[in-house]
Amino acid sequence: MFVFGMPISFNVLPQFLVLSLVFITTFGEELLQTVKDEVPGGNYTVYQIRSRGRLRLELVSISGDADLYVSDSEPIPSDENYDVKSFSCGVDTVELSSSMKRPIAVSVFGHPFYSVSKYSLSVFKLPEKEEIDYATLDALYNDYVDDKPETTQDSSQVSEDEYSYQDSDTDEESNMWTIAITILKLLFDVLL
């Protein structure tokens, strides 16, 4: 099988996809800390985060099912008192804005269906988003509108050749997306 023009065997394909997804999701992020621990079913393990800036928490349930509850106002976030939560049967991820006051309380809840849930909790520092105020945004828009050439064209003056050219570009793009999605579906079917 060829992916990006290189021969890849099926036994290497899962590692290639995992590494690709890890690279895509963590580009520009800095791993601050990872904790591996366990929590009894029906209980919480609580952590505090003092790091400033935008953060991403990633909770991976190694065995059992652990869920994530986060708050900057509650000392022990729970399923009833939280600001942000993530609960799934796999990887739980939440993004914390830099505006949340510190320290941030993080609770890992062990699902009661399991006697013990083992997990890995990682904290990533994200790059700060550039915040643009209204005046800057307005100036950028006005500069764009002023620089934009004023061309008006009556639809009756457009030739059939121009329409067919525009349609063919759209068709080619649509076909490329269909092919890409089909390839991804096949890859996921092979992996699962």
Side-chain angles (χ1 to χ4, degrees):
M1 175 177 188
F2 286 88
V3 177
F4 304 116
M6 300 180 302
I8 295 181
S9 64
F10 281 108
N11 60 351
V12 181
L13 189 59
Q15 291 89 355
F16 172 75
L17 287 175
V18 169
L19 289 175
S20 298
L21 290 174
V22 167
F23 177 75
I24 289 168
T25 58
T26 61
F27 184 71
E29 299 178 1
E30 176 187 353
L31 176 63
L32 297 179
Q33 186 173 2
T34 298
V35 175
K36 291 186 179 184
D37 203 353
E38 59 184 43
V39 60
N43 290 304
Y44 293 91
T45 299
V46 181
Y47 300 94
Q48 280 193 349
I49 298 177
R50 298 183 186 280
S51 297
R52 301 255 178 227
R54 286 180 57 227
L55 302 173
R56 181 174 65 86
L57 303 180
E58 182 179 276
L59 176 71
V60 178
S61 295
I62 298 168
S63 67
D65 182 23
D67 298 322
L68 195 58
Y69 297 95
V70 180
S71 178
D72 66 352
S73 58
E74 294 292 327
I76 302 176
S78 67
D79 60 339
E80 295 176 0
N81 297 314
Y82 62 87
D83 295 324
V84 183
K85 70 176 179 177
S86 178
F87 54 95
S88 66
C89 292
V91 178
D92 294 293
T93 304
V94 295
E95 188 172 315
L96 308 176
S97 71
S98 56
S99 63
M100 290 182 82
K101 61 183 181 176
R102 299 324 197 244
I104 298 172
V106 177
S107 289
V108 177
F109 176 70
H111 194 280
F113 185 72
Y114 300 96
S115 61
V116 173
S117 294
K118 294 182 180 182
Y119 61 88
S120 170
L121 177 63
S122 299
V123 180
F124 296 91
K125 183 168 179 93
L126 302 174
E128 290 297 324
K129 289 183 179 176
E130 181 181 343
E131 297 196 16
I132 300 176
D133 62 347
Y134 177 77
T136 305
L137 201 58
D138 188 47
L140 289 171
Y141 174 76
N142 288 332
D143 288 346
Y144 171 75
V145 170
D146 293 342
D147 291 342
K148 189 176 178 182
E150 292 189 26
T151 58
T152 58
Q153 187 175 27
D154 186 13
S155 62
S156 63
Q157 296 175 349
V158 179
S159 69
E160 287 183 27
D161 291 339
E162 291 179 44
Y163 277 122
S164 65
Y165 177 73
Q166 292 170 353
D167 288 342
S168 68
D169 284 346
T170 306
D171 289 342
E172 286 178 25
E173 185 176 309
S174 176
N175 289 339
M176 293 296 286
W177 278 110
T178 303
I179 292 169
I181 290 171
T182 304
I183 290 172
L184 285 173
K185 285 180 181 178
L186 288 170
L187 289 174
F188 286 124
D189 285 342
V190 168
L191 291 175
L192 299 176

